[in-house]
Amino acid sequence: MRILIIEDNEDITSFLKSSLASECFAVDTASDGITGEFLALTNEYDLVILDNTLPKKNGKKVCISIREKKKNMPIIMLSVKSDIATKVELLEAGADDYLTKPFSFEELLARIHALLRRPGSVKNEKLEIKDICLDIRRHDVTKGGKSIHFTRKEFMLLELLLKHKGDVVSRGLIWEHVWDVNADPFSNTIESHIRSIRRKLNLKGKDNFIKTVSGRGYRIVEEE
């Protein structure tokens, strides 16, 4: 899943980016409201973490703009203010949740998972096909009950494909949800990750349920 952090404090941004990456999220960042708004409106994000006090354009205005453009990804607002009036104001502007600085990463992560479990987002914490199980919360992939080591990107890619089981997942959608804006869309990294997933899961012949759809992308097929 892909998260956008709009925060002007470099230390907070750096900490959140590395911590969320370790939790198998792709993370983009922006240090001012105008840049953050542009990224939020031109890319597909699963969630936005938005500071209220930003240079160029404050978080409330960015949030309103995102909602006016019919973008419905969850937004967690960050603010040093803890008064009820500020919380109500930002929630009414379109935010889904509010966290007062300073905060613990554990609480932020719990709120992220809670928002992503809402209808239309993550409905199940375990995704299964045949004897393979991907546990979203534990970041674990098992086959026949035996744990298999996956890199973060391999895990994120398999998770995306399983969530769209039966549908063709385009290269564009994969780039948007698994890699950040710094990735090279013309590289063969998607193909190499797909090959690695197939190898680790020993997917061969009729057992290879990850199908390549020529010129379109990939699809997971339950049965032949």
Side-chain angles (χ1 to χ4, degrees), residues 184-216:
D184 179 7
F186 299 105
S187 72
N188 67 344
T189 189
I190 293 177
E191 290 77 6
S192 65
H193 279 76
I194 290 288
R195 286 196 298 269
S196 180
I197 291 171
R198 287 170 173 161
R199 176 179 55 79
K200 290 183 177 182
L201 296 178
N202 195 29
L203 302 182
K204 299 177 181 178
K206 291 184 178 180
D207 292 327
N208 182 10
F209 56 78
I210 303 178
K211 305 297 182 182
T212 300
V213 183
S214 182
R216 297 177 62 192

Side-chain angles (χ1 to χ4, degrees), residues 151-178:
T151 68
R152 288 198 296 267
K153 293 302 183 187
E154 289 167 354
F155 183 92
M156 294 164 69
L157 178 50
L158 181 60
E159 177 187 354
L160 180 66
L161 293 174
L162 285 170
K163 285 177 179 175
H164 293 271
K165 188 189 303 182
D167 299 328
V168 176
V169 180
S170 68
R171 285 177 55 88
L173 186 65
I174 292 172
W175 279 118
E176 289 175 352
H177 289 273
V178 179

Side-chain angles (χ1 to χ4, degrees), residues 52-171:
N52 188 37
T53 305
L54 293 166
K56 299 184 180 180
K57 192 169 188 177
N58 68 37
K60 178 185 174 182
K61 291 180 179 179
V62 173
C63 185
I64 290 172
S65 178
I66 291 173
R67 296 310 187 210
E68 286 178 344
K69 297 298 183 181
K70 307 302 180 183
K71 290 278 190 174
N72 60 2
M73 75 285 270
I75 297 175
I76 298 178
M77 294 291 302
L78 305 178
S79 176
V80 296
K81 296 183 178 180
S82 60
D83 59 284
I84 298 299
T86 299
K87 292 180 181 180
V88 170
E89 179 183 10
L90 295 177
L91 291 170
E92 289 184 343
D96 296 274
D97 203 349
Y98 182 102
L99 202 53
T100 304
K101 294 180 176 179
F103 54 87
S104 72
F105 177 72
E106 289 75 15
E107 181 180 3
L108 173 64
L109 186 62
R111 289 170 183 257
I112 289 172
H113 284 307
L115 288 172
L116 294 179
R117 283 197 300 269
R118 288 183 177 179
S121 299
V122 178
K123 297 180 180 179
N124 300 305
E125 294 186 350
K126 291 185 178 180
L127 304 173
E128 299 177 324
I129 182 169
K130 299 187 178 181
D131 63 341
I132 294 165
C133 176
L134 182 147
D135 190 317
I136 294 173
R137 292 298 297 272
R138 293 178 59 198
H139 305 143
D140 185 43
V141 177
T142 59
K143 182 175 183 180
K146 182 180 179 180
S147 184
I148 300 172
H149 173 70
F150 268 48
T151 68
R152 288 198 296 267
K153 293 302 183 187
E154 289 167 354
F155 183 92
M156 294 164 69
L157 178 50
L158 181 60
E159 177 187 354
L160 180 66
L161 293 174
L162 285 170
K163 285 177 179 175
H164 293 271
K165 188 189 303 182
D167 299 328
V168 176
V169 180
S170 68
R171 285 177 55 88

Side-chain angles (χ1 to χ4, degrees), residues 1-5 20 25-28 45-47 49 112:
M1 289 196 166
R2 191 175 178 187
I3 289 179
L4 173 64
I5 300 171
L20 289 169
F25 290 102
V27 182
D28 292 334
Y45 292 101
D46 297 288
L47 184 138
I49 298 172
I112 289 172

